[in-house]
Amino acid sequence: MLKSIIKKPAFILVALGSVVFLLIVVMLSLQNFGVETTYNSEEHGYTIKFNSNDITYETILLDGKNRIYMDRFLAVKNRECYISVTSIGKDTNLEETLENFQSDGSYSFTIDEQGIYGAGNYPARAISYEDKAGKETLQVTYYYDEAHGIFVTVCTDEKNRKLLSEVLKALTIKE
């Protein structure tokens, strides 16, 4: 009888130790998964989902006089890599803007008239170029969505391309 009493507390201690170990592993795992965040922009008319461990959000005032803001979603591991969204005015002349950028030879754009982006495969003019000014080459793509009145920018290096591609796929326009 004494042996069975000694075995029960040992079994209970081993079982409790195993449960504590599993709880620690689960808590550490949850920390790595992050929090799925949904950002809803009333101003620009879209919703986007991202993991807060991988992406941070900031808003930038572009024009204080006209109160124009840009939403920017930055890769945590490289803040030079981001997706941004801003509204575009109906009077924006894209051709003139592109010509001004390309006139001094520092930019050379590739333009895809049939570009698509977002969860709904929204049609947009995709304008892209490589930015070689920094330590690493960045691929920059602008999605000019005149129908929805927004301008989406994706700026990424090779390491963050898949992450930002997934975030861009999670962008939904409110119709």
Side-chain angles (χ1 to χ4, degrees):
M1 178 147 165
L2 187 57
K3 281 187 174 183
S4 71
I5 293 174
I6 292 174
K7 286 183 180 180
K8 282 185 180 178
F11 173 74
I12 292 172
L13 286 175
V14 169
L16 284 174
S18 298
V19 168
V20 168
F21 175 76
L22 284 172
L23 283 173
I24 291 171
V25 168
V26 168
M27 289 176 68
L28 290 174
S29 309
L30 287 176
Q31 192 175 30
N32 290 332
F33 288 119
V35 176
E36 188 70 23
T37 303
T38 300
Y39 177 79
N40 182 24
S41 174
E42 292 299 324
E43 181 177 355
H44 302 301
Y46 72 93
T47 300
I48 195 166
K49 294 179 183 179
F50 58 92
N51 184 312
S52 63
N53 276 350
D54 300 325
I55 301 290
T56 60
Y57 167 78
E58 67 183 13
T59 185
I60 298 169
L61 179 63
L62 297 175
D63 181 351
K65 180 181 174 189
N66 297 314
R67 312 277 304 152
I68 297 172
Y69 291 91
M70 173 175 64
D71 297 328
R72 189 158 58 178
F73 303 89
L74 299 109
V76 169
K77 293 182 179 176
N78 183 349
R79 293 180 58 85
E80 290 182 358
C81 298
Y82 61 87
I83 292 176
S84 67
V85 182
T86 191
S87 295
I88 52 173
K90 299 218 181 283
D91 60 340
T92 302
N93 185 333
L94 183 62
E95 300 306 322
E96 183 180 301
T97 304
L98 291 174
E99 284 176 25
N100 287 338
F101 272 104
Q102 294 182 92
S103 65
D104 68 356
S106 47
Y107 290 93
S108 178
F109 296 112
T110 302
I111 300 173
D112 179 2
E113 298 290 341
Q114 306 300 313
I116 57 169
Y117 74 99
N121 291 325
Y122 307 108
R125 210 164 172 194
I127 304 154
S128 58
Y129 73 97
E130 284 189 343
D131 181 353
K132 297 180 181 184
K135 288 190 306 188
E136 52 194 317
T137 300
L138 298 173
Q139 180 66 37
V140 181
T141 303
Y142 303 109
Y143 294 95
Y144 181 78
D145 185 347
E146 191 172 13
H148 295 105
I150 62 173
F151 196 70
V152 179
T153 304
V154 180
C155 180
T156 187
D157 60 6
E158 192 60 41
K159 293 177 206 160
N160 289 288
R161 189 172 318 278
K162 182 177 178 186
L163 168 66
L164 292 177
S165 175
E166 292 299 317
V167 174
L168 183 63
K169 286 179 189 174
L171 187 146
T172 305
I173 306 271
K174 296 178 196 169
E175 301 288 340

